[in-house]
Amino acid sequence: MSDEFEVEFIEREERSARFVVRGLTPAIANGIRRAMITDVPTLSIDTVRFVENSSVMFDEMIGLRLGLVPLTTPLDDFEVGDDVTLALDVEGPATAYSGDIETSDELVQPADENIPIIELKEGQRLEFEADAVLETGKSHAKHQGGVAVGYRHLQKVEVVGDAGEFDEEEPNILRGVVETEEGELVATDEFGNDLTNRYPGKEVEVTDVPGAFVFHVETDGSFTADELLLRAIDSIDARAAELEDAVAV
């Protein structure tokens, strides 16, 4: 991909990030979004072998819940199609949580330990073995590590004058991130998403900044938001190179 793209982070945490990318077309922005959703593989429970299930839930219902438990996914150590064996054995009265799942590989763990699987009453037991498989979101939504990935145009706010003395000030709602006249990036929740709070008594003009997009990314804990973005860009690079080679033949 082009080296002319500029990236600036507004928020940057382990599982979430908000950042501005300049120098994109809408098609490339959407390509990055789609790559983060469908191209970056995650480990997810795919096959479950029940040893005992005397709970009130059918095997299939528990299997569905298990498939939605996010697992840490060290992508440098696995290839698509690789699997890891997991196991659980809990007897009631107790609630079986994701943290009760044991794994054959220390690098692969439930991303959150407090996800409830099933509440077991006295005398009930849940025991199983399972295989977690590394696949992409193209094969199934449970392999989508980017649980909330979106973007919008960056908008610039300019003061064009004073509001009329007798004008009734109505809310001017914007959401996301705006760029001020001074070039500062400001999250709109800092002023309650209402421009009249930031520019009281002023008339403002809002325009889209050409080629600039604000991305908001959240992961399920399979990996960090940084890794999700970088892996998605690598995927686009690889597909672009493949297309270039095909056209050159």
Side-chain angles (χ1 to χ4, degrees), residues 16-59:
S16 65
R18 186 153 48 170
F19 52 91
V20 173
V21 184
R22 301 177 191 269
L24 297 181
T25 64
I28 295 177
N30 190 49
I32 294 173
R33 179 192 68 86
R34 289 178 60 86
M36 282 192 278
I37 294 173
T38 63
D39 287 2
V40 185
T42 69
L43 284 161
S44 183
I45 292 177
D46 186 66
T47 304
V48 184
R49 297 176 292 279
F50 288 93
V51 178
E52 182 177 343
N53 176 20
S54 51
S55 73
V56 296
M57 280 192 176
F58 294 119
D59 293 354

Side-chain angles (χ1 to χ4, degrees), residues 8-11 18-20 22 152-157 174-180 184-189 191 193 206-207 209 213-216:
E8 183 175 351
F9 282 86
I10 295 97
E11 299 170 6
R18 186 153 48 170
F19 52 91
V20 173
R22 301 177 191 269
R152 64 179 69 198
H153 279 283
L154 175 64
Q155 294 182 304
K156 185 168 187 175
V157 180
L174 284 182
R175 299 190 184 277
V177 175
V178 296
E179 185 177 51
T180 67
E184 180 186 4
L185 297 176
V186 180
T188 59
D189 50 17
F191 49 85
N193 302 305
V206 180
T207 56
V209 179
F213 296 85
V214 181
F215 284 81
H216 182 252

Side-chain angles (χ1 to χ4, degrees), residues 103-118:
T103 172
S104 62
D105 191 318
E106 292 184 357
L107 296 176
V108 180
Q109 302 284 345
D112 293 294
E113 295 185 349
N114 297 316
I115 300 174
I117 298 171
I118 182 70

Side-chain angles (χ1 to χ4, degrees), residues 3-248:
D3 293 331
E4 297 178 0
F5 298 155
E6 297 180 9
V7 180
E8 183 175 351
F9 282 86
I10 295 97
E11 299 170 6
R12 194 174 192 175
E13 299 179 5
E14 185 174 356
R15 293 194 186 186
S16 65
R18 186 153 48 170
F19 52 91
V20 173
V21 184
R22 301 177 191 269
L24 297 181
T25 64
I28 295 177
N30 190 49
I32 294 173
R33 179 192 68 86
R34 289 178 60 86
M36 282 192 278
I37 294 173
T38 63
D39 287 2
V40 185
T42 69
L43 284 161
S44 183
I45 292 177
D46 186 66
T47 304
V48 184
R49 297 176 292 279
F50 288 93
V51 178
E52 182 177 343
N53 176 20
S54 51
S55 73
V56 296
M57 280 192 176
F58 294 119
D59 293 354
E60 293 81 1
M61 298 172 68
I62 293 177
L64 176 62
R65 289 190 171 192
L66 293 172
L68 297 177
V69 173
L71 302 172
T72 57
T73 303
L75 292 173
D76 290 331
D77 297 276
F78 293 90
E79 296 182 357
V80 171
D82 287 350
D83 59 47
V84 175
T85 301
L86 308 171
L88 179 141
D89 186 358
V90 177
E91 187 171 353
T95 298
Y97 288 96
S98 54
D100 296 315
I101 296 175
E102 298 179 354
T103 172
S104 62
D105 191 318
E106 292 184 357
L107 296 176
V108 180
Q109 302 284 345
D112 293 294
E113 295 185 349
N114 297 316
I115 300 174
I117 298 171
I118 182 70
E119 182 180 354
L120 300 169
K121 302 299 184 183
E122 182 75 37
Q124 295 179 341
R125 184 182 179 193
L126 177 62
E127 181 182 1
F128 64 78
E129 282 191 353
D131 295 327
V133 178
L134 185 68
E135 271 295 348
T136 67
K138 293 178 182 177
S139 64
H140 196 286
K142 67 183 179 181
H143 291 288
Q144 293 178 0
V147 293
V149 179
Y151 68 90
R152 64 179 69 198
H153 279 283
L154 175 64
Q155 294 182 304
K156 185 168 187 175
V157 180
E158 297 178 277
V159 176
V160 295
D162 294 324
E165 184 178 355
F166 301 105
D167 287 351
E168 207 173 303
E169 196 168 61
E170 296 183 356
N172 188 349
I173 303 300
L174 284 182
R175 299 190 184 277
V177 175
V178 296
E179 185 177 51
T180 67
E181 291 175 287
E182 296 78 23
E184 180 186 4
L185 297 176
V186 180
T188 59
D189 50 17
E190 290 186 12
F191 49 85
N193 302 305
D194 187 351
L195 286 176
T196 59
N197 292 333
R198 184 174 175 88
Y199 302 100
K202 299 295 183 180
E203 183 181 348
V204 298
E205 184 176 85
V206 180
T207 56
D208 289 343
V209 179
F213 296 85
V214 181
F215 284 81
H216 182 252
V217 178
E218 292 183 28
T219 80
D220 63 359
S222 300
F223 28 62
T224 65
D226 281 10
E227 183 167 19
L228 176 62
L229 173 60
L230 293 174
R231 296 280 182 172
I233 293 173
D234 286 344
S235 172
I236 295 174
D237 268 339
R239 284 188 282 134
E242 184 179 347
L243 177 60
E244 185 177 16
D245 291 342
V247 172

